């Protein structure tokens, strides 16, 4: 959503597709299924939840609760590829569609709401459009509120056929009774949420009632962002701003790329270039537009937003997901020619918080060379050809260690699942 000077919130519509990793795998809701990442359940089907399986459980505990459960590996590329038709369907509503993550999409309602006759009419139309794309395996829930965070929670409370529309100016009252655990997914800081819970802050209203200065002094910038979220204000970082046009990076692809692995190799280099250009100015990206042009002059574009900051690896992942969604699309939705030009356009940046380059355990030039080497091998052998080990539960040695595609993990971040002690006996 675009921020307007002098405004604290933007009226926003969010489409949330529950259990999207399960839906993207083509599994019906009634079949007991879980999607696991790093030996933890990250998504469940309705059938698995009915058997007592919950997100966050270890793989073996989930299998113990439901012996018939089907276990699938987490595949963000598959999720993003399957979600592209949903985003493409909403292009007829507004060109300002932004993907937060596969399964969740948002856009500002100011223009579309006026055109379609109000927030309620717009939400019903969006629900009907998206529902036609995701059925019969999945469903779509639509929420409208002041700010993306309130709209997301409203969407999660909405029914498949009944959008939830929070009246303007009522987002803080709507958020107040919600559990503070709702911040975990947005902040990606479960440790911070756990501290608040142990301090007795059980709801978003409890956090919103604290003074902003006190929150900043005790919990820093992330605490202030959480405070604004809880208060129904703009969820984006306070210091976010639109960058200059010269930060855009682009490259010509000759010959044009018609395969995902070829385009992904170019995307990785482009993401590294954008990240380096931003870092040289002390900036980090939170909102980027992936733009591709084909040999026949077709222009494809999709916006991706992250509530934190996009690292070079996260940028490359989103570009690869988007290219896969375009180049793997069926029939008329697929480009008629290979991609001849690729560009990354940063739409919103914040001041970078810096990184520590330590002697032991920190990022080094060796780390960067390893990541580049992996990208080169992926370009030659295919995205899924390069794998890394991951420890899992099992009785025999062959079950305890599995190989997962390197493209599905962040090689620049710590990987507890790669250690044998990650699996509790």
């Amino acid at each position: 959503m675009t921020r307007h000077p002098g405004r604290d919130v933007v009226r926003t519509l969010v489409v949330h597709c529950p259990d999207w990793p399960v839906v993207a795998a083509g599994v019906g809701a009634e079949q007991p299924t879980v999607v696991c990442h790093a030996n933890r359940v990250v998504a469940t089907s309705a059938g698995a939840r009915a058997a007592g399986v919950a997100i966050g459980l270890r793989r073996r505990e989930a299998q113990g609760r439901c012996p018939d459960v089907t276990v699938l590996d987490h595949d963000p590329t598959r999720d993003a590829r399957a979600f592209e038709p949903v985003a493409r369907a909403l292009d007829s509503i507004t060109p300002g569609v932004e993907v937060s993550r596969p399964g969740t999409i948002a856009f500002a309602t100011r223009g579309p709401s006026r055109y379609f006759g109000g927030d309620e009419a717009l939400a019903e139309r969006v629900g009907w459009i998206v529902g036609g794309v995701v059925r019969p395996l999945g469903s779509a829930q639509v929420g409208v509120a002041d700010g993306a965070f309130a709209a997301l929670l409203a969407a999660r409370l909405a029914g498949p056929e009944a959008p939830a529309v929070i009246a303007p100016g009522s987002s803080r009252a709507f958020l107040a009774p919600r559990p503070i655990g709702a911040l975990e997914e947005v902040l990606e800081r479960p440790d911070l949420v756990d501290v608040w819970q142990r301090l007795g802050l059980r709801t978003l209203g409890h956090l919103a009632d604290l003074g902003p200065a006190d929150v900043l002094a005790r919990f820093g910038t992330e605490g202030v962002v959480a405070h604004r979220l809880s208060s129904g204000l703009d969820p984006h970082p306070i210091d976010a701003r639109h960058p200059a046009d010269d930060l855009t990076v682009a490259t010509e692809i000759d010959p044009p790329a018609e395969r995902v692995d070829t385009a992904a190799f170019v995307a990785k280099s482009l993401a590294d270039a954008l990240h380096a250009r931003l870092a040289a100015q002390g900036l980090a990206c939170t909102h980027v537009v992936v733009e591709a042009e084909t040999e026949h002059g077709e222009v494809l574009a999709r916006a991706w937003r992250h509530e934190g900051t996009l690292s070079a690896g996260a940028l490359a992942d989103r570009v690869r997901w988007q290219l896969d969604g375009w180049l793997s699309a069926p029939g008329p939705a697929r480009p008629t020619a290979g991609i001849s030009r690729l560009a990354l356009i940063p739409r919103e940046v914040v001041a970078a918080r810096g990184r520590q380059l330590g002697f032991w355990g920190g990022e080094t030039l060796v780390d960067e060379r390893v990541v580049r080497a992996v990208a080169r091998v992926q370009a030659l052998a295919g995205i899924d050809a390069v794998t890394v080990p991951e420890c899992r539960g099992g009785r025999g040695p062959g079950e305890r260690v599995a190989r997962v595609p390197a493209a599905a993990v962040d090689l620049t971040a710590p990987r507890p699942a790669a250690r044998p002690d990650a699996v509790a006996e």
Side-chain angles (χ1 to χ4, degrees):
M1 287 59 58
T2 303
R3 296 186 66 194
H4 299 278
R7 298 185 183 179
D8 285 325
V9 291
V10 175
R11 193 75 176 157
T12 305
L13 182 147
V14 168
V15 178
H16 177 64
C17 299
D19 311 324
W20 185 255
V22 177
V23 175
V27 180
E30 300 305 320
Q31 181 178 345
T33 307
V34 296
V35 177
C36 291
H37 176 64
N39 205 46
R40 295 278 185 178
V41 176
V42 296
T44 66
S45 67
R49 288 193 296 273
V53 180
I55 293 176
L57 292 179
R58 290 186 178 274
R59 177 193 298 258
R60 291 182 65 181
E61 187 176 354
Q63 292 173 321
R65 294 189 181 188
C66 182
D68 296 331
V69 69
T70 300
V71 179
L72 302 175
D73 289 331
H74 183 46
D75 187 351
T77 303
R78 176 189 62 207
D79 299 345
R81 180 172 59 247
F83 195 61
E84 173 58 21
V86 178
R88 187 166 55 245
L90 292 182
D91 286 339
S92 61
I93 298 292
T94 174
V97 170
E98 297 176 1
V99 181
S100 303
R101 63 182 59 85
T104 303
I105 200 168
F107 60 84
T109 66
R110 185 181 181 186
S113 182
R114 289 180 177 179
Y115 182 81
F116 290 102
D119 288 343
E120 290 80 4
L122 173 64
E124 290 180 0
R125 185 174 184 86
V126 168
W128 176 76
I129 291 175
V130 177
V133 177
V134 301
R135 282 194 292 262
L137 293 178
S139 61
Q141 299 171 194
V142 181
V144 182
D146 296 337
F149 180 61
L152 175 60
L153 294 190
R156 288 179 171 173
L157 296 175
E161 305 295 335
V165 179
I166 309 302
S170 302
S171 288
R172 177 164 181 162
F174 165 73
L175 292 171
R178 310 300 163 194
I180 200 168
L183 290 169
E184 287 189 7
E185 183 179 351
V186 179
L187 290 182
E188 298 181 350
R189 282 290 305 277
D191 56 332
L192 193 56
V193 175
D194 181 63
V195 169
W196 289 330
Q197 290 174 332
R198 287 189 278 114
L199 290 174
L201 303 177
R202 304 296 181 184
T203 66
L204 296 176
H206 290 160
L207 180 60
D209 289 339
L210 299 178
D214 296 333
V215 174
L216 176 62
R218 176 62 179 84
F219 302 107
T221 304
E222 290 181 331
V224 174
V225 172
H227 184 269
R228 291 177 63 83
L229 286 167
S230 303
S231 302
L233 301 178
D234 191 342
H236 308 316
I238 301 172
D239 58 345
R241 61 186 185 274
H242 296 289
D245 293 338
D246 60 357
L247 289 177
T248 298
V249 295
T251 185
E252 302 292 334
I253 305 177
D254 188 20
E258 297 185 356
R259 295 172 46 189
V260 176
D261 52 358
T262 304
F265 177 67
V266 177
K268 179 64 172 65
S269 301
L270 207 60
D272 289 340
L274 175 59
H275 188 265
R277 183 172 295 186
L278 291 171
Q281 299 190 25
L283 300 174
C285 184
T286 63
H287 180 193
V288 65
V289 175
V290 182
E291 184 178 274
E293 183 176 346
T294 70
E295 193 176 13
H296 291 171
E298 301 164 297
V299 177
L300 310 171
R302 180 70 64 215
W304 285 81
R305 180 181 290 280
H306 188 58
E307 297 304 336
T309 57
L310 291 164
S311 64
L315 276 170
D317 286 342
R318 282 153 179 78
V319 180
R320 186 181 71 252
W321 297 344
Q322 189 57 61
L323 291 171
D324 197 0
W326 285 330
L327 296 177
S328 302
R334 181 185 174 90
T336 60
I339 294 177
S340 59
R341 182 179 183 273
L342 186 62
L344 298 183
I345 307 170
R347 285 283 181 84
E348 194 172 80
V349 297
V350 296
R353 298 180 185 176
R355 58 183 180 178
Q356 180 177 359
L357 302 179
F359 288 108
W360 299 279
E363 186 176 337
T364 66
L365 291 176
V366 175
D367 300 327
E368 296 179 2
R369 287 199 296 268
V370 168
V371 173
R372 288 197 295 268
V374 169
R376 287 195 295 270
V377 175
Q378 287 174 331
L380 294 173
I383 287 293
D384 295 330
V386 182
T387 61
V388 293
E390 184 174 284
C391 295
R392 299 177 177 177
R395 298 182 181 276
E399 299 175 347
R400 289 179 175 271
V401 179
R403 309 289 301 187
V404 298
V409 301
D410 186 357
L411 297 178
T412 63
R415 297 188 59 242
R419 299 196 302 266
D421 57 0
V423 180
E425 297 297 335

